[in-house]
Amino acid sequence: MPTALITGITGQDGLYLSELLLSKGYEVHGIVRGQNNPKRELVRRTVPDVHLHTGDLTDLSSLIRAMATAQPDEVYNLGAVSFVAYSWENARVTTDVTGNGVLNVLEAVRLYCGDDLSRVRYYQASSSEMFGKVQEVPQRESTLLWPRSPYGVAKVFGHYMTINYRESYGMHASSGILFNHESPRRGPEFVTRKVSMAVARIAEGRQDKIVMGNLDAQRDWGFAGDYVEGMWRMLQQPEADDYVLATGETHSIRDLLDVAFAHVGIEDWSGLVEQDPRFMRPAEVDLLVGDASKARDRLGWSPTVGFEDLVRMMVEHDLALLRAER
């Protein structure tokens, strides 16, 4: 039975990855920050077979302890301060966790492995936010990185540190450059879940409008459940490498609103959406769309859930939650 250790297990990716690995017969361990983390119960309820350890990406000693206890064959570093807007408010914390945290996990793996670095395979959650002010369309593994947020800068640091550990120490360390991937498990602070929750509440007569930022930003949105399959496939390869995971399609926030409102029978949402400068990014990422041909050719990976089905899934989930409260 292979063993995996996951940081960021309380997020949507961590939960979907845990379910995937458990279905494949893995023993799964997860690191949760803080003894009283309210999301600890969420993990226990969703994936009760996961073994949880207390740890912190900014505390190397806690990561070393988790490695020694779990004794993993694979480590998936999904932990980060992942809400981009927050990174402008607190660039220091974002850098410490999302950037330096990667170095800590890599170092914990290296120290645990000792002279046999083949003992552990490592996955780093890189991000399409690293492309920022995009230098080519679509973006691929070789595209120049030009991050436009403290979060993106921190992710670039972690991405290149992973490459450095692979090239310097011979570690089996791969990075997945994942484009936006969403699900009903996405946090309410993210735009897709913000929209799905608000549309459900409007349809149920519990909310009057949505206040949004830039409606013209374009993203490549896929389903998180598909993307964790790609993570796992990366670590099954004989050689470590970096891979873009994306759908290859781009949609605007307006498209997101169109599909979400249409699902509840509202065709004209113009009177239900307001724009507020407070929700505009200081430096916008205008167009993200990925070329996942390398992952398709080498990993046999491709997304199974399209954009419209994804949005409908999220709205339907939030409608069901509201109706269950009645």
Side-chain angles (χ1 to χ4, degrees):
M1 177 186 294
T3 299
L5 177 64
I6 303 171
T7 73
I9 197 168
T10 62
Q12 65 163 7
D13 291 9
L15 294 175
Y16 280 115
L17 180 60
S18 296
E19 290 174 336
L20 175 70
L21 295 178
L22 288 169
S23 74
K24 294 181 179 294
Y26 278 66
E27 179 180 305
V28 179
H29 296 252
I31 294 177
V32 178
R33 182 176 177 270
Q35 289 284 358
N36 298 315
N37 191 320
K39 290 188 176 181
R40 184 181 290 263
E41 183 55 36
L42 170 65
V43 178
R44 288 189 173 130
R45 184 173 65 251
T46 308
V47 279
D49 292 331
V50 169
H51 306 274
L52 294 180
H53 308 269
T54 299
D56 192 318
L57 290 179
T58 65
D59 178 12
L60 176 60
S61 63
S62 72
L63 300 175
I64 292 173
R65 286 194 300 272
M67 290 287 301
T69 303
Q71 299 189 20
D73 303 294
E74 298 173 1
V75 171
Y76 296 83
N77 183 34
L78 313 184
V81 175
S82 57
F83 185 44
V84 177
Y86 175 78
S87 72
W88 277 286
E89 298 176 18
N90 204 323
R92 170 64 65 184
V93 170
T94 300
T95 301
D96 287 344
V97 176
T98 307
N100 292 331
V102 179
L103 174 58
N104 285 337
V105 181
L106 285 166
E107 190 65 2
V109 171
R110 187 182 72 84
L111 294 173
Y112 169 75
C113 289
D115 295 332
D116 184 10
L117 287 171
S118 66
R119 291 173 63 188
V120 173
R121 296 187 173 194
Y122 174 85
Y123 171 83
Q124 170 59 27
S126 291
S127 168
S128 61
E129 286 285 335
M130 300 189 307
F131 294 120
K133 187 176 180 180
V134 298
Q135 299 301 293
E136 63 176 337
V137 178
Q139 295 88 51
R140 50 185 61 88
E141 293 81 7
S142 59
T143 301
L144 177 68
L145 304 180
W146 195 315
R148 298 266 281 170
S149 67
Y151 170 80
V153 172
K155 278 292 186 182
V156 170
F157 173 85
H159 179 73
Y160 280 121
M161 191 59 72
T162 301
I163 293 173
N164 190 261
Y165 267 64
R166 181 170 72 223
E167 295 179 349
S168 298
Y169 300 111
M171 186 182 292
H172 193 294
S174 297
S175 287
I177 307 172
L178 272 56
F179 281 65
N180 296 65
H181 47 290
E182 315 297 324
S183 77
R185 290 173 173 167
R186 185 55 116 170
E189 68 273 21
F190 291 86
V191 67
T192 47
R193 188 75 193 287
K194 176 180 178 177
V195 167
S196 68
M197 291 174 68
V199 168
R201 291 182 63 83
I202 289 171
E204 290 289 296
R206 304 194 195 186
Q207 187 170 323
D208 297 326
K209 62 184 179 181
I210 316 175
V211 181
M212 303 286 291
N214 182 8
L215 302 184
D216 297 313
Q218 299 179 70
R219 296 290 185 270
D220 183 329
W221 278 301
F223 173 52
D226 287 337
Y227 286 58
V228 298
E229 171 77 25
M231 298 176 188
W232 175 77
R233 292 190 181 203
M234 290 178 207
L235 297 201
Q236 311 318 305
Q237 301 307 302
E239 300 292 333
D241 207 342
D242 305 321
Y243 297 89
V244 163
L245 297 187
T247 69
E249 298 179 5
T250 188
H251 297 274
S252 68
I253 304 295
R254 294 182 190 277
D255 295 335
L256 171 64
L257 291 164
D258 283 342
V259 177
F261 274 109
H263 186 65
V264 296
I266 299 173
E267 298 301 328
D268 180 8
W269 47 261
S270 58
L272 301 171
V273 177
E274 291 184 4
Q275 288 184 272
D276 189 323
R278 292 179 302 160
F279 295 103
M280 303 286 189
R281 289 187 177 192
E284 183 59 87
V285 175
D286 296 311
L287 176 59
L288 289 176
V289 56
D291 175 4
S293 56
K294 180 178 176 181
R296 183 178 60 249
D297 296 342
R298 297 191 187 179
L299 306 179
W301 179 88
S302 61
T304 65
V305 178
F307 172 72
E308 293 190 0
D309 287 341
L310 171 63
V311 177
R312 294 188 194 106
M313 175 201 306
M314 295 178 68
V315 173
E316 197 59 38
H317 172 267
D318 289 326
L319 282 169
L321 287 181
L322 288 174
R323 290 164 182 168
E325 295 174 359
R326 290 176 181 172

